[in-house]
């Protein structure tokens, strides 16, 4: 009852005040008819409040977002299905959706009086310029009586997650190494030569062709073993993102770290579409454990979802535990912030354990909120990377990621041709 009385509208309070005034005046002036009018004016909002408080409104809400995974800057549509599952009709409904500020304003809908079995669909659009994971909801409902005397506030408890992934820049096809990368460690010659450590074999079965016999394994095991040629050799790539807070500049969307996330997302999607099994690692270690390939679109989506919620960390050293996997090889593409001599040991280990080491070195001081003098800027990390065998390019504000990617492939191919000579 207390909630119902607190829900009296201005009209309801006016009726109540006028009724009390009429009753008092009727008693003072000895006008019973005026008192009866006052009693009627007081009773109307009170009875309405009691009915509204004890009425069991059963509203159902189903929320659907399409698509549930959206790139930053792209819109998504939210579809609401509201139904009245109770037998008591309602007055006017005011529906207000709870939406994070970064997705836009709070949508509001006014629905006229609804009866039993009523069902209606509503919709609105959301869009975010920043990546992240957000909760849509809960929905707040204001129920008004037909006379407009009482308004009661209700709220649904359900929410729906909505993920905004980083922007993905289309990258051109470019050779990552000077030779074909058809093996997991970017060394297909070992596979073609019949290396026992690289070839998957099984026991000889009657009817197998003799040309499929793998003689080194047969000699070692003492029985005929044949190659499993039906299993394709999968190229692998590791995308390393330096998310150390000290290695980046800027705030929010206008920061070098956000640019690094966009680069990592673009490279990951490009490698998956090119047939690579891709995994994502950061300065704190491997995230979203496992390799992701192009068996389905959800594989690339898993990488983007991990990048959508990635934040900077306070680590001052790069965690290299992800390099402990035996026979890792493959291609490593690093997206680095500011680096120094303390990172050399890790960079050298990565280079020695990978088939091709490519790096984007961000000129992080370009994203500084305060212009820096030349002597205050941190030196480029490209010379340090090249010195230890990496193929590296510098990426500053306004530089094209696609152009820098093409330059990385060109430098890698040129270096491989030079080594072949």
């Amino acid at each position: 009852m207390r909630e119902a009385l607190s829900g009296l509208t201005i009209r309801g309070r006016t009726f109540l005040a006028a009724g009390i005034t009429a009753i008092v005046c009727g008693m003072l002036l000895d006008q019973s008819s005026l008192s009866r009018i006052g009693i009627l004016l007081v009773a109307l909002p009170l009875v309405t409040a009691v009915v509204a408080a004890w009425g069991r409104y059963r509203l159902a809400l189903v929320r659907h977002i399409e698509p549930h995974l959206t790139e930053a800057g792209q819109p998504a549509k939210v579809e609401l299905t509201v139904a009245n599952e109770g037998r008591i009709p309602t007055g006017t409904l005011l529906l207000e959706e709870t939406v994070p500020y970064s997705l836009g304003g709070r949508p509001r809908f006014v629905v006229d009086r609804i009866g039993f079995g009523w069902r209606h669909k509503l919709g609105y659009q959301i869009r975010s310029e920043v990546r992240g994971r957000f909760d849509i909801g809960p929905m707040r409902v204001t129920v008004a009586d037909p006379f407009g005397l009482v308004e009661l506030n209700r709220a649904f408890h359900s929410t729906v997650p909505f993920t905004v992934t980083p922007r993905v820049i289309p990258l051109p096809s470019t050779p990552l190494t000077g030779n074909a990368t058809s093996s997991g460690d970017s060394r297909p010659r070992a596979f073609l030569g019949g290396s026992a450590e690289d070839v998957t074999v099984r026991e000889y079965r009657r009817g197998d062709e003799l040309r499929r016999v793998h003689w080194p394994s047969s000699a070692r095991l003492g029985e005929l073993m044949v190659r499993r040629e039906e299993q394709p050799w999968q190229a692998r790539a590791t995308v390393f993102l330096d998310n150390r807070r000290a290695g980046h500049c800027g705030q929010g969307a206008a920061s070098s770290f956000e640019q690094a996330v966009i680069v990592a997302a673009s490279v990951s999607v490009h490698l998956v579409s090119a047939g690579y099994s891709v995994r994502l690692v950061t300065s704190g270690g491997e995230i979203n454990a496992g390799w992701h390939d192009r068996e389905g679109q959800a594989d690339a989506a898993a990488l983007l979802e991990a990048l959508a919620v990635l934040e900077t960390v306070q680590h001052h050293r790069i965690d290299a535990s992800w390099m402990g996997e035996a026979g890792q090889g493959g291609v490593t593409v690093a997206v680095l912030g500011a680096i120094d001599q303390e990172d050399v040991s890790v960079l050298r280990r990565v280079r020695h354990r990978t088939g091709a080491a490519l790096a984007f070195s961000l000129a992080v001081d370009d994203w500084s909120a305060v212009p820096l003098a030349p002597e205050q800027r941190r030196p480029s990390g490209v010379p340090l990377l090249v010195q230890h065998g990496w193929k590296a390019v510098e990426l500053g504000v306004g530089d094209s990621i696609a152009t820098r990617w093409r330059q990385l492939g060109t430098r890698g191919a040129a270096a491989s041709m030079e080594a072949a000579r």
Side-chain angles (χ1 to χ4, degrees), residues 176-193 198 229 231-237 274-277 329-331 355:
L176 299 183
T177 58
N179 52 15
T181 56
S182 58
S183 70
D185 57 0
S186 296
R187 292 174 299 194
R189 295 177 184 177
F191 173 75
L192 297 176
D198 290 337
E229 294 182 349
Q231 294 186 356
W233 198 255
Q234 179 65 60
R236 287 186 169 185
Y276 283 81
S277 283
V331 176

Side-chain angles (χ1 to χ4, degrees), residues 14 99 114 171 181 200 230 243 318 358 365 391 393-394:
T14 302
V99 176
I114 61 177
L171 301 180
T181 56
T200 303
E230 68 276 10
N243 64 332
I318 298 176
L358 314 175
D365 290 331
K391 312 300 182 296
V393 293
E394 189 173 51

Side-chain angles (χ1 to χ4, degrees), residues 172-179 181 186 236-237 267 270-271 274 276 331-333 355-358 391 405 408-413 416:
S173 298
T174 181
L176 299 183
T177 58
N179 52 15
T181 56
S186 296
R236 287 186 169 185
V267 171
H270 175 76
L271 292 175
Y276 283 81
V331 176
T332 297
V333 181
L358 314 175
K391 312 300 182 296
W405 175 254
L408 270 180
T410 303
R411 292 184 182 184
S416 297

Side-chain angles (χ1 to χ4, degrees), residues 65-80:
I65 303 179
E66 182 62 35
H68 74 282
L69 200 65
T70 306
E71 184 178 326
Q74 298 298 318
K77 184 177 181 180
V78 182
E79 186 178 89
L80 306 171

Side-chain angles (χ1 to χ4, degrees), residues 28 51 72 75 121 142 155 175 181-182 253 312 323 385:
L28 294 177
V51 172
K121 289 187 177 181
T142 301
T181 56
S182 58
T312 56
M323 289 188 294
L385 290 164

